Amino acid sequence: MSENKKSWEDVINVLPDNLKDKFIKKLKDNINYNKESLSAFFELTTRIKINKPVIYIGAGTCGFAAGADMTIKKVEEYIGKKGIDADIIRVGCIGICSEEPLVDIQLPGKSRLSFSNVTEDKVDEIFDSFFSGKIPHDNILFQYRNDNTVKFDNIMFIDEHPFFAPQKRYILANCGFINPESIEECLGIGGYRAFLHCVNNLTHREVCNTVIDSGLRGRGGGGFLTGKKWEIALNQDAKEKYMICNADEGDPGAFMDRAIIEGDPHRLIEGLAIASYAIGAKKAYVYIRAEYPLAIKRLKKAIEDAKSFGLLGNNILDSGYSLDIIVKEGAGAFVCGEETALMNSIEGKRGMPRPRPPYPAVSGIFEKPTIINNVETMANVVEVINNGPDWFKSIGTQNSKGTKVFALSGKVNRTGLVEVAMGTTLKEIIYDIGGGIIGNKKFKAVQIGGPSGGCIPEQHIDIEVDYDSLKRLGAMMGSGGLVVMDEDNCMVDVAKFFMEFIQAESCGKCIPCREGTKRILEILNKITTHRRNEKKDDALIRFQGILQLESLAEVIRETSLCGLGQTAANPVLSTLRWFRDEYESHIFERKCNTKTCKEMLDYSIDADKCKGCMLCLKKCPTEAIIGKLKTAHYIVPEKCTGCGTCIEVCKFDAVKVS
């Protein structure tokens, strides 16, 4: 947890005297608590003190993907069979996804211990050992710091673990730590303190100025100054204004927004409420893709709980401010991550971008002033208000303040969610936090910012990550996806993967994006095609396309209507810039040196290794393999399509590729 967390008493103390009693009564009404003091209750809800064992299970999407649902059932079965009176709390993702399923156990008076890779079959062994007083060190990950408990010897603390030690966790401070479905626990650690301070003590403009002074930039795209954006909407003379949280996380390899909502939904709601108050909006939307059912479920519950405590709705705690938050589920269109297409979708129209100007801050949904920020931006707002703009400015670089959350994935040992100060180098993220490349292979590149971003090669791995430095290398922060690639990755194939995604997701409204991405994909497909698969004038068309590739990418960037279209060619431009030799190898030598592009490979059979089992002959879809039982087989090059079936079925490693 962040060292800047505030207690529930701080939440109440920001209220005017006439509202303190009302809020305390609201707390008592909702928690059915009728004693004189709330202190004991909040000590239990925040687990400062516990009176029985507590079992925490990582129940985010990544945990469930690793088998956490079966682990939960097994844990419930175990404590029932053993007669153990314990609480089971489902928490969100703490970040280290490569170690899921995660299970934490805490006994009264003892530190909370975290165990990794606790699949269903390991529950009995780990729990038998733990509850008999023996620590199962094979699965131990770390322990949590708590001044009120007795620590375990020879077990590292979470802030000493190599994945967490270099991080500065403020946005992710509660994820994996608290119960995301408990507003009582949220309030117990100071949730909604910042929002109540704003609506009771600050004007709309003062909130805007605080965020402007902090230097907070939008975490979802180009990095525009958040407070300046709000100020434009605040200055509009309109009775109705809208605030939108863009949680339509569509980039391949990005899962930060989902994890924040699943692990700490009240942080998003509080940030959205502050932002809405800052511009004078009385209605806000969370636009989230329907493919995030768990995040949607927890978000909706959090909104209802906030309403029941009087933190949302009409005349919030007699402050004179009212706010409704509506969850709008998107259909998963990548283009709806673009703010004007998103607004069309909210209005019930097809998700297609609008020409600008007018900009949304002047005329957005329903032609009213509208501000769109993403989940991470909203979460940062809470930290800015709670700790002040000077504190926020003390973190990061000159023009990029605060921290940034990245989704670290790909060919790296420790994958997951990473929160680091702006200015941290890529090398620190990949090698110190991520533990380096799998199998000690050579690092080749990292794709940052999804399809709209770009590849950064090995020679620039020491770059400090911030908005300006990434732009200089032809990349961008984007949503914060970090996909690590090693020596086995083909960069032409990487470009083709992203272009397939972009072309499929293009809304089709403007010609440069609709037709240009289609043409680029055609060229990349021809570059990665073997001569044997060419027909008629394919070779000539291929050569013409190669000559057009770079100029076509530039035209798409300069003439597309929306930001997504303007960055659609980035995967090609960045890989061409840093890995032109790989394109040349594909084009002139007709070879993929990493042997990733299967259609370019030549297949042959080693007669010394072939046992004549006839399995490859029977499975070949084009009958390109000839031979007899117990005699060496042969591949007819003219018939082979390069599908790779033979190498997949061969049990004797007799099939060679070149």
Side-chain angles (χ1 to χ4, degrees):
M1 290 179 63
S2 163
E3 64 267 26
N4 292 295
K5 289 295 153 217
K6 307 297 180 181
S7 72
W8 66 272
E9 293 167 317
D10 293 301
V11 177
I12 294 173
N13 287 338
V14 302
L15 295 171
D17 290 338
N18 64 317
L19 294 184
K20 286 182 183 178
D21 291 340
K22 180 177 179 179
F23 187 61
I24 291 174
K25 182 179 184 302
K26 199 79 173 178
L27 287 171
K28 290 180 178 180
D29 289 344
N30 277 276
I31 63 180
N32 297 317
Y33 185 84
N34 50 22
K35 295 182 180 178
E36 290 296 319
S37 172
L38 293 171
S39 297
F41 173 82
F42 278 105
E43 283 182 350
L44 289 175
T45 58
T46 57
R47 292 179 297 282
I48 293 173
K49 296 179 182 178
I50 59 172
N51 53 18
K52 61 180 176 179
V54 181
I55 301 165
Y56 312 80
I57 301 177
T61 296
C62 56
F64 285 124
D69 52 343
M70 300 305 294
T71 299
I72 291 169
K73 290 179 182 178
K74 190 66 176 177
V75 170
E76 291 172 340
E77 178 187 308
Y78 181 92
I79 65 172
K81 182 172 63 178
K82 299 289 185 179
I84 299 172
D85 181 18
D87 288 333
I88 297 177
I89 297 176
R90 303 183 184 202
V91 297
C93 172
I94 198 169
I96 189 163
C97 304
S98 55
E99 301 292 340
E100 296 280 6
L102 290 172
V103 174
D104 298 353
I105 310 175
Q106 184 177 4
L107 298 177
K110 296 284 188 178
S111 293
R112 174 173 165 179
L113 283 177
S114 185
F115 298 89
S116 65
N117 302 122
V118 187
T119 48
E120 174 190 14
D121 58 304
K122 296 179 182 176
V123 169
D124 284 349
E125 180 183 353
I126 292 172
F127 277 54
D128 281 343
S129 179
F130 181 84
F131 284 106
S132 65
K134 301 175 183 176
I135 304 300
H137 284 273
D138 288 347
N139 290 89
I140 200 73
L141 199 57
F142 46 69
Q143 63 179 316
Y144 290 80
R145 291 192 186 276
N146 188 334
D147 294 337
N148 299 296
T149 59
V150 177
K151 70 176 182 178
F152 291 90
D153 294 331
N154 302 318
I155 296 175
M156 74 173 74
F157 288 99
I158 183 172
D159 53 26
E160 297 170 335
H161 189 281
F163 182 82
F164 295 97
Q167 296 189 46
K168 288 189 177 292
R169 294 172 67 86
Y170 300 108
I171 305 308
L172 301 178
N174 298 329
C175 292
F177 186 82
I178 65 168
N179 181 354
E181 297 190 23
S182 170
I183 190 172
E184 294 88 356
E185 185 169 351
C186 166
L187 292 168
I189 57 174
Y192 292 98
R193 174 181 182 271
F195 173 56
L196 293 175
H197 172 63
C198 288
V199 296
N200 286 288
N201 301 312
L202 301 177
T203 64
H204 305 299
R205 193 164 299 280
E206 284 173 334
V207 177
C208 284
N209 288 340
T210 299
V211 176
I212 291 171
D213 189 33
S214 74
L216 172 63
R217 297 172 68 169
R219 296 300 197 249
F224 193 81
L225 283 168
T226 301
K228 287 289 186 181
K229 196 174 179 181
W230 293 3
E231 190 177 52
I232 296 170
L234 177 64
N235 290 336
Q236 303 306 307
D237 185 15
K239 291 183 179 180
E240 295 179 27
K241 297 176 183 178
Y242 295 91
M243 178 62 70
I244 300 173
C245 175
N246 180 0
D248 190 62
E249 190 173 46
D251 288 2
F255 47 92
M256 299 79 62
D257 293 352
R258 184 199 73 209
I260 291 171
I261 297 172
E262 289 177 356
D264 192 7
H266 287 285
R267 177 183 288 271
L268 166 59
I269 295 169
E270 183 175 12
L272 181 55
I274 293 168
S276 301
Y277 175 76
I279 69 168
K282 295 185 178 181
K283 183 174 286 188
Y285 290 89
V286 179
Y287 188 90
I288 183 169
R289 53 184 43 227
E291 294 95 331
Y292 285 176
L294 181 60
I296 292 169
K297 171 179 171 286
R298 289 179 178 169
L299 180 62
K300 287 182 175 179
K301 183 181 188 305
I303 291 172
E304 289 305 312
D305 288 347
K307 286 180 181 178
S308 69
F309 275 78
L311 297 166
L312 292 176
N314 187 48
N315 192 20
I316 296 168
L317 292 173
D318 289 341
S319 64
Y321 179 63
S322 303
L323 177 65
D324 286 324
I325 296 178
I326 299 167
V327 176
K328 170 68 175 178
E329 296 180 33
F334 178 67
V335 72
C336 286
E338 197 278 334
E339 59 182 17
T340 60
L342 182 153
M343 293 189 301
N344 270 348
S345 181
I346 289 178
E347 292 178 353
K349 303 172 185 175
R350 183 180 174 188
M352 299 177 76
R354 305 176 184 178
R356 293 179 294 183
Y359 290 92
V362 177
S363 178
I365 56 171
F366 313 119
E367 299 182 354
K368 305 297 182 183
T370 305
I371 295 296
I372 302 99
N373 290 125
N374 81 334
V375 173
E376 190 180 345
T377 308
M378 298 296 186
N380 268 287
V381 168
V382 178
E383 295 296 321
V384 170
I385 299 299
N386 266 332
N387 302 305
D390 290 338
W391 170 85
F392 190 81
K393 286 191 291 188
S394 69
I395 305 167
T397 63
Q398 182 175 357
N399 295 317
S400 300
K401 305 298 184 182
T403 62
K404 180 71 186 79
V405 179
F406 292 101
L408 185 62
S409 61
K411 304 285 188 69
V412 65
N413 284 303
R414 290 190 290 264
T415 58
L417 284 178
V418 173
E419 184 179 357
V420 294
M422 291 283 194
T424 302
T425 67
L426 277 176
K427 187 173 183 179
E428 289 176 279
I429 296 172
I430 295 167
Y431 282 93
D432 295 345
I433 298 174
I437 308 302
I438 295 173
N440 290 321
K441 292 195 173 183
K442 185 179 179 182
F443 169 79
K444 189 172 195 176
V446 60
Q447 174 77 15
I448 185 167
S452 299
C455 286
I456 296 178
E458 191 271 340
Q459 61 263 40
H460 292 292
I461 194 173
D462 288 315
I463 186 176
E464 293 185 350
V465 177
D466 64 20
Y467 291 99
D468 301 325
S469 63
L470 292 176
K471 284 182 180 178
R472 287 194 294 271
L473 293 181
M476 63 184 293
M477 191 84 70
S479 59
L482 277 180
V483 183
V484 179
M485 290 165 276
D486 67 11
E487 60 193 82
D488 294 333
N489 285 102
C490 168
M491 303 313 294
V492 179
D493 184 66
V494 168
K496 187 167 75 168
F497 168 80
F498 281 111
M499 288 312 302
E500 285 173 345
F501 177 84
I502 291 168
Q503 208 283 315
E505 293 290 343
S506 173
C507 75
K509 183 172 183 176
C510 71
I511 292 173
C513 180
R514 182 185 71 232
E515 299 299 327
T517 57
K518 181 179 180 181
R519 179 63 180 139
I520 284 182
L521 184 57
E522 288 174 353
I523 295 170
L524 293 176
N525 281 329
K526 291 189 182 298
I527 288 175
T528 54
T529 298
H530 199 284
R531 280 191 180 91
R532 62 176 169 248
N533 296 324
E534 290 183 343
K535 299 175 183 178
K536 296 182 180 180
D537 57 352
D538 280 356
L540 177 60
I541 295 172
R542 174 180 179 273
F543 185 69
Q544 290 174 334
I546 292 165
L547 296 177
Q548 298 169 355
L549 182 60
E550 196 161 6
S551 59
L552 178 58
E554 292 287 357
V555 168
I556 293 171
R557 181 163 69 177
E558 293 172 5
T559 60
S560 290
L561 173 63
C562 75
L564 294 183
Q566 291 159 13
T567 57
N570 278 2
V572 171
L573 290 170
S574 66
T575 50
L576 269 172
R577 179 179 180 183
W578 304 115
F579 302 96
R580 186 173 289 267
D581 59 321
E582 293 198 26
Y583 279 87
E584 291 173 350
S585 177
H586 282 69
I587 293 166
F588 301 120
E589 299 176 31
R590 299 271 189 160
K591 284 189 176 182
C592 175
N593 293 327
T594 64
K595 298 180 181 178
T596 301
C597 301
K598 287 188 175 182
E599 289 188 16
M600 300 193 74
L601 301 179
D602 288 310
Y603 292 79
S604 61
I605 295 176
D606 187 337
D608 293 332
K609 291 185 177 181
C610 180
K611 305 300 181 182
C613 70
M614 300 189 73
L615 186 58
C616 62
L617 185 150
K618 293 175 181 178
K619 294 290 185 180
C620 179
T622 60
E623 299 181 348
I625 301 176
I626 57 176
K628 294 181 180 180
L629 184 65
K630 295 185 179 181
T631 62
H633 294 1
Y634 175 75
I635 297 176
V636 180
E638 291 77 16
K639 288 187 176 182
C640 179
T641 59
C643 67
T645 301
C646 54
I647 199 169
E648 292 173 4
V649 300
C650 182
K651 299 177 181 179
F652 306 103
D653 194 29
V655 181
K656 299 185 297 183
V657 292
S658 59

